[in-house]
Amino acid sequence: MSEEILSRIASSKINCSIIHRDPETRLRRTFLINIPRNAYLYSYLPQIFHFFGFKEKSLRYAHFTTLENEYIEWNNPIDTIANLCGSEVLNMFIVTVNESATPDNLKQFHNRVHHFEDIPTFFEKYWHSKVKEACYILNKSSNLVLSMSLKDSKQFWHSAQIQPHSLPPLEYPLSPYSPSSPSAHLNYKIFERYFHRILPSNFKSLPIIIHFKDVPQDEISESAKYAMYSYAANSTYRLQLNLQLDPETLNGMTLLSMYEYLGIPPPPMTKCHGITIPHDSPLVELYTLLKHSDLFLHIVHVNKNY
């Protein structure tokens, strides 16, 4: 069963409808693209720019918003974005003009990405930093990641399927991107092999990020605030766990008992990879099966029914 779950997640994609509104003519054009669940939406900007014919210099302002005009963060896996929006089909706007209200997190992306060629390197460095962080949370050391050979590190990165393997061709029309090699099945096998090298024999902590949507911050207890750090973005914010537990406690913890430990009221639903997770699910098992490519388990606290 676990092999089937891992394989399905690795091959699953989110259908995205990306809309551009011309500020002068008010006409709309739409680009349809399927993006792997573990990928980052902003890593596909070259494909999207080529389809719409945008100039590369507009990268300094490029960002996405929901149909409700909420900014979409660059560092959330697209699976998490879909879970936050409550749909496996994402409809969004792409914006290429400067906006005074742009969040600082997006400005960080714009300050580092000026050319199409910057995007693969930017996301590889970001992914590597998150993997090191996850390794440290799991093992109290990042040495298992830092000691990887360059070949292993590159193979681990490519198996993560975070972004296209190459830039798109310049000719038009551009077809929706579809990865050709290596296959999703092969990628997840390679990824799992490296992932299990990093896992400890006894879990004392887990790399988990809880994403909250439409939840008042005063509902989060003081104990949860001490266990996490957060930043706000629109009506969504994310809290990264930093818990230290003995192996027996952690191995016996369920999703529900984690919420209780943190003093957070359990939501009507918790989502991950498009799945509604039962609250009696063992936390360690959830992590090993449903972690994302950055080795964090991104779960979405859904405060209301879709």
Side-chain angles (χ1 to χ4, degrees):
M1 178 62 75
S2 61
E3 285 286 317
E4 182 181 357
I5 292 172
L6 292 168
S7 178
R8 288 195 176 195
I9 290 173
S11 60
S12 177
K13 297 180 182 180
I14 301 293
N15 299 318
C16 298
S17 175
I18 299 170
I19 305 162
H20 177 248
R21 297 176 291 191
D22 190 292
E24 295 180 1
T25 65
R26 311 303 296 173
L27 293 177
R28 294 188 179 192
R29 288 187 296 157
T30 302
F31 179 43
L32 303 177
I33 185 170
N34 298 325
I35 300 179
R37 300 197 78 94
N38 274 312
Y40 292 98
L41 173 64
Y42 283 75
S43 70
Y44 283 74
L45 277 170
Q47 280 73 10
I48 297 164
F49 264 53
H50 278 278
F51 176 84
F52 288 114
F54 297 152
K55 294 181 179 179
E56 189 178 44
K57 66 181 182 180
S58 297
L59 272 175
R60 63 183 301 185
Y61 302 128
H63 61 274
F64 299 91
T65 70
T66 65
L67 298 187
E68 293 75 32
N69 290 320
E70 291 192 338
Y71 290 98
I72 295 175
E73 302 288 349
W74 64 266
N75 56 343
N76 279 340
I78 198 163
D79 164 70
T80 301
I81 297 169
N83 290 328
L84 286 167
C85 293
S87 175
E88 289 293 287
V89 179
L90 279 178
N91 297 293
M92 69 194 83
F93 293 118
I94 182 167
V95 182
T96 57
V97 296
N98 191 16
E99 293 185 353
S100 58
T102 304
D104 289 341
N105 191 38
L106 275 173
K107 291 176 182 176
Q108 175 189 3
F109 174 79
H110 294 146
N111 289 338
R112 297 183 184 181
V113 173
H114 303 100
H115 305 284
F116 292 147
E117 290 76 14
D118 297 337
I119 291 178
T121 303
F122 174 84
F123 277 100
E124 182 175 3
K125 287 181 178 179
Y126 174 73
W127 172 84
H128 202 257
S129 70
K130 294 303 291 182
V131 167
K132 285 190 294 183
E133 187 178 355
C135 182
Y136 185 85
I137 292 171
L138 287 165
N139 301 287
K140 293 296 173 219
S141 168
S142 299
N143 286 342
L144 290 172
V145 173
L146 294 172
S147 62
M148 281 187 182
S149 68
L150 180 60
K151 179 182 177 181
D152 282 337
S153 183
K154 286 289 185 183
Q155 194 169 33
F156 192 14
W157 156 244
H158 287 300
S159 72
Q161 299 187 95
I162 285 175
Q163 64 181 36
H165 295 294
S166 61
L167 292 176
L170 293 177
E171 54 269 13
Y172 297 91
L174 178 66
S175 300
Y177 173 77
S178 179
S180 55
S181 177
S183 68
H185 179 74
L186 177 60
N187 274 10
Y188 105 79
K189 291 281 191 182
I190 295 172
F191 182 81
E192 287 298 311
R193 188 178 74 211
Y194 285 113
F195 170 63
H196 281 275
R197 287 190 194 178
I198 294 171
L199 290 182
S201 55
N202 289 308
F203 289 94
K204 295 182 180 179
S205 187
L206 292 174
I208 299 176
I209 296 176
I210 308 175
H211 299 259
F212 292 83
K213 175 75 172 177
D214 299 320
V215 181
Q217 289 207 27
D218 58 11
E219 286 191 13
I220 308 302
S221 72
E222 287 300 318
S223 62
K225 289 176 183 175
Y226 284 117
M228 312 170 181
Y229 66 82
S230 66
Y231 68 83
N234 304 313
S235 59
T236 300
Y237 55 99
R238 61 192 230 166
L239 305 175
Q240 183 169 310
L241 299 189
N242 186 20
L243 304 175
Q244 304 301 320
L245 302 170
D246 62 86
E248 184 176 354
T249 300
L250 189 57
N251 282 311
M253 187 169 277
T254 63
L255 187 61
L256 177 61
S257 59
M258 179 197 74
Y259 282 129
E260 292 172 345
Y261 179 86
L262 295 171
I264 300 173
M269 285 192 295
T270 299
K271 303 275 285 189
C272 182
H273 291 297
I275 303 166
T276 299
I277 305 173
H279 283 171
D280 60 353
S281 302
L283 202 58
V284 170
E285 187 175 341
L286 278 179
Y287 173 71
T288 55
L289 281 177
L290 301 182
K291 80 285 179 189
H292 289 71
S293 291
D294 59 4
L295 303 193
F296 280 80
L297 175 66
H298 294 259
I299 58 176
V300 176
H301 181 291
V302 182
N303 200 38
K304 57 187 177 183
N305 293 321
Y306 293 142

